[in-house]
Amino acid sequence: MGRFSATPLLVSCRPHRPQDILDQVEGDAAATALVVAGEGKFFCNGIDMAWIDYQVTGKPREGGAMQMLSPETASHPVWADGERLLARLLTFPLPTAAAINGHWVAWGCMLGLAFDYRVMREDRGFMFVPAVDIGAIYSTGFTELMRAKVSRNVLRDMITFAKRYSASDLVEEGVVSAALPLEELVEGAKAEVRPWVGKGRKKDGSLSTMGGIKQKLCASRQQPSSNHLLATIFLHLLGIVAQQKA
């Protein structure tokens, strides 16, 4: 079957940290897939805005997670770090799957969508994007990532109205492959990528083929549409990947 790399570390949601984990997996000649599992109640509750506020003001965040974003919080460099992490996952040169154990919210929603496959706990958690409730207008890159991964109707209701989707809703909409008991999540995620183990690795061990294919799939969204060039996360994706390899 090959070897899987499973880690819960992405759920820290401070996206400057997980790049090192992805480096380790990509550099492991025995790794055949990336399976990420959440721990505790949540898969990912989004970017840690309390942490950002503390960096900006030196004071604890007041009003809870649903407090309106301040201009300083909204412009913090961590959001760009988040886009870089999503870009890395979108083009990761191994099959990827997320075992979603609970809520995946806001940026956490985009994190889950960046994987090739997703399975979700059947009895706990929702996917939702509370942008309208916290005064957030997501970047074009974040928005286009969601547009690429969900249907038009889901995108409208999720972004504009902060609709919450259960595991059964998401199976019906084709966003997750299966809704499973908690104890079966990781095995279910492995099952999603198991058919593709060994794909994309050259005889010399290079992973450039699958990574290159994923880059092209993302870059294809740069084609003109309605007389304008789509400004998306994918527009700067190849530049980010090139910088990381330099």
Side-chain angles (χ1 to χ4, degrees):
M1 179 181 71
R3 176 174 162 191
F4 291 85
S5 181
T7 174
L9 295 182
L10 286 177
V11 299
S12 70
C13 293
R14 294 177 186 172
H16 57 291
R17 294 178 177 177
Q19 293 280 8
D20 291 342
I21 302 298
L22 296 180
D23 287 342
Q24 293 173 24
V25 176
E26 190 170 345
D28 184 348
T32 56
L34 174 71
V35 174
V36 173
E39 288 185 332
K41 291 182 178 180
F42 311 112
F43 177 70
C44 181
N45 251 1
I47 295 287
D48 191 341
M49 291 187 289
W51 178 82
I52 298 175
D53 278 354
Y54 188 78
Q55 303 305 306
V56 172
T57 68
K59 300 177 182 179
R61 182 176 178 83
E62 298 179 358
M66 299 303 285
Q67 176 185 331
M68 289 289 184
L69 289 174
S70 68
E72 294 80 12
T73 299
S75 61
H76 193 277
V78 75
W79 297 103
D81 291 340
E83 286 203 3
R84 292 186 182 93
L85 176 58
L86 296 176
R88 178 81 180 275
L89 285 169
L90 282 163
T91 60
F92 199 72
L94 290 169
T96 65
I100 298 172
N101 58 304
H103 291 327
W104 41 321
V105 182
W107 186 87
C109 170
M110 290 171 263
L111 174 64
L113 292 175
F115 289 85
D116 297 326
Y117 297 96
R118 290 154 292 283
V119 297
M120 185 174 172
R121 181 174 175 176
E122 64 183 0
D123 61 343
R124 186 185 186 95
F126 293 94
M127 181 191 79
F128 63 100
V129 179
V132 69
D133 297 323
I134 62 173
I137 300 175
Y138 284 121
S139 71
T140 306
F142 286 156
T143 302
E144 289 298 328
L145 168 58
M146 291 183 277
R147 190 194 307 277
K149 293 284 189 165
V150 303
S151 71
R152 181 176 298 180
N153 288 345
V154 171
L155 182 72
R156 177 198 62 209
D157 293 344
M158 178 174 68
I159 294 183
T160 310
F161 305 112
K163 180 177 178 178
R164 297 187 176 207
Y165 290 86
S166 67
S168 59
D169 294 332
L170 294 172
V171 171
E172 184 176 348
E173 294 288 353
V175 178
V176 303
S177 301
L180 300 170
L182 176 62
E183 62 272 15
E184 297 178 15
L185 271 184
V186 172
E187 287 304 316
K190 290 181 180 180
E192 292 298 312
V193 294
R194 184 172 287 111
W196 318 126
V197 165
K199 291 281 188 179
R201 189 182 290 276
K202 296 180 178 180
K203 291 182 179 179
D204 64 0
S206 168
L207 296 171
S208 60
T209 300
M210 184 172 292
I213 289 170
K214 289 183 179 181
Q215 288 180 33
K216 291 292 186 181
L217 285 172
C218 292
S220 68
R221 295 184 63 83
Q222 297 180 32
Q223 299 303 314
S225 176
S226 302
N227 299 318
H228 72 280
L229 194 64
L230 290 174
T232 71
I233 190 173
F234 307 120
L235 271 175
H236 63 265
L237 177 60
L238 296 181
I240 290 171
V241 172
Q243 291 171 17
Q244 290 173 343
K245 293 183 176 179

